[in-house]
Amino acid sequence: MKKLDNAVFYQIWPRSFYDSNNDGIGDIQGIIQKLDYIKSLNVDYIWLSPVYQSPNDDYGYDVSNYFDIHPDFGNLDDMKLLIHEADKRELKIIMDLVANHTSTSHPWFIEALKDKHSPKRNYYFFKEGKDNGPPNNWISIFGGSAWTKMADNEYVLTLFTPTQADLNWENPEVRKSIVDIMEFWLKHKVAGFRLDVINTISKKPGLPSKNPHKKGYQFADDYIINRDESVAYVKEIMNEINKKYNCVTVGEGMLMTQQAARMYANQQDNTLDMMFHFDLHMLGCGPLGKFDFRKLYHWTILDFKKIIASWQQDSQDHQYGIGNYLSNHDQPRQVSRFGNDKKYHQESAKALALLNLTLRGTPFIYQGEEIGMTNTKLEKEMWKDFEAKNAYQVLQDMMHLPAFLAKKIIQKMSRDHSRTPMQWNNHEYAGFSLTKPWFDVNPNYQHINVKQQDQNPNSILNFYRQLTTLFKNNPALNQGDYQQEYSKHKQVIGYLRRYENQELLVLINLSKYVATINLNQQHANGKIVISTYLNQPMLTKKMIMRPYEGILVEVINES
Ligand code: TEU
Ligand code: CA
């Protein structure tokens, strides 16, 4: 068995997980207090979104000190205790390695800015402006120019927020510094890393303008994403690390393609254990990304199925690792985005869970997903996320959208939805804290919370527990082959997972309407292992599936 074969991951966004000292902000001691709960989900790895020191312009993804903890979360001793307490429960911690950029408050950057002759100058991309403007026409991922003016005609490349300065990975010293950071944490016994935007670490030398004949800022695309050099740098650092440590890695990359994933996570050289892709999250979005509303966020179940099948098949054919997830700290809540958070809240939350925990690859559960946490109503005054605030401006200034429409788009796609406090019980502030939290709790905590679902055997939470148990115990699920079934059906997602003699069929009606599906005889003769509805359906050749009904079927092979 490979080291990650039946591993399940749980992602924590610490600021909103659990507040142990009642200052309104989640913290490391809070995570420690909830380790038994996390363990009860049968997970193996906890991925912590960044807990390093940071001015929080991008909530921790702008790191100012990689070797210490943000005081909001605690200190290094708390972190050591967390690793220790997790270990006692056979839980391992994965850190978020934000290495494409540092905060402009990082000492490297401060030194580089102060002294043009400092070796740290070459850690970043400083450049002179051109024609009274930035050095090139690249657009920032969050909108506007990708360059931030530091002094008269002196700019620095900041592909994300203006205080996240891109590191110059061409410089071997930078790569060495990143290895040092990794070693520091590996020595503290973390099990590995999630590597933030790891496919943008190389930029086209000379940083030329993209499509210079076009007006306005341009998305630099292949000048910054999935370049061969990025793969080479990943191999170089992993080669160093793998000499000394057994390090688990999952890479995150913008616009990850299958072509690229084959290289980043090929399971042979010193590459990564797996990659995430974004394709499901881009469903219904225009070519410019999640705030590009021109397709009106319309998508069909067939589109959804195609993306799943294509990644499943490709990762199988080319033997690379993928991390399966339907939500994280950058996306709206999955039950609101892909399910139905009103009439079929429970049904659709379970259907999506069944999907994510039966696919080929490594499943990731994002905090709160296991109780079906939903999007919230985001009044403009509540917005915290830079991306949303910026998009609101860009939609109006550059796309000439009226404010009320821009607001609607933010309401639909904002990252803030996934960052509301975890709903532990129905006490004030959802049991997250005794004081008013840094971000308003979603008012539905009264009926969507851990306490209530823990006691109910038929809850979403207990369904997750059953699914993780199934995933861990069935080789067909955790290492079996994938084969799509009923590919043309417009409502039902179907696939087989197979390992040696075991064959499991997954059928999920992802629509709010009843679906009829003609099963083949062998499938109709199968035995239902688990089902999202309380009263299990009958398997028949002409099978009727209720809204968001999902079943896992053991296919009986007579031989
Ligand atoms: O996200 C990378 C990334 O591709 C995002 O820009 C993503 O497209 C966006 O969040 C979608 O809304 C990572 C982190 O997960 C994210 O939280 C950070 O803001 C970003 O990197 C910069 O570090
Ligand atoms: Ca706190």
Side-chain angles (χ1 to χ4, degrees), residues 529-554:
V529 181
I530 194 171
S531 128
T532 56
Y533 273 67
L534 243 192
N535 49 342
Q536 284 195 357
M538 282 282 290
L539 272 179
T540 52
K541 278 195 78 175
K542 202 175 168 73
M543 171 92 187
I544 309 283
M545 296 187 76
R546 288 163 282 187
Y548 295 102
E549 177 158 29
I551 50 176
L552 180 70
V553 176
E554 170 121 47

Side-chain angles (χ1 to χ4, degrees), residues 4-21:
L4 286 173
D5 258 353
N6 68 357
V8 178
F9 284 65
Y10 186 80
Q11 183 193 351
I12 291 182
W13 200 73
R15 179 164 286 267
S16 289
F17 192 61
Y18 185 60
D19 176 17
S20 72
N21 61 350

Side-chain angles (χ1 to χ4, degrees), residues 5 312 316 319 358-361 471 474-483 496-500 502-504:
D5 258 353
Q312 289 284 292
Q316 171 161 295
Q319 291 297 305
T358 55
L359 287 172
R360 181 188 182 280
F471 179 82
N474 287 282
L477 293 181
N478 62 48
Q479 51 194 303
D481 285 346
Y482 164 91
Q483 182 185 306
L496 281 173
R497 300 295 316 280
R498 243 188 320 235
Y499 187 81
E500 292 175 356
Q502 192 187 22
E503 196 168 317
L504 296 171

Side-chain angles (χ1 to χ4, degrees), residues 189-203:
K189 300 219 162 31
V190 309
F193 303 94
R194 175 260 193 194
L195 296 92
D196 190 57
V197 280
I198 199 64
N199 66 339
T200 53
I201 53 179
S202 161
K203 281 91 184 171

Side-chain angles (χ1 to χ4, degrees), residues 389-403:
K389 293 183 199 165
N390 201 54
Y392 181 64
Q393 273 318 314
V394 172
L395 283 167
Q396 293 175 80
D397 301 346
M398 288 167 69
M399 304 190 85
H400 309 292
L401 225 63

Side-chain angles (χ1 to χ4, degrees), residues 326-370:
L326 292 169
S327 38
N328 63 26
H329 66 294
D330 288 336
Q331 305 299 338
R333 289 284 176 178
Q334 68 191 47
V335 65
S336 305
R337 174 85 162 97
F338 304 118
N340 181 312
D341 61 8
K342 307 223 158 51
K343 187 157 174 208
Y344 296 110
H345 174 251
Q346 152 131 243
E347 291 81 356
S348 64
K350 287 183 178 177
L352 293 167
L354 177 62
L355 173 72
N356 205 45
L357 284 148
T358 55
L359 287 172
R360 181 188 182 280
T362 303
F364 283 73
I365 301 169
Y366 177 65
Q367 69 184 41
E369 159 191 336
E370 73 275 23

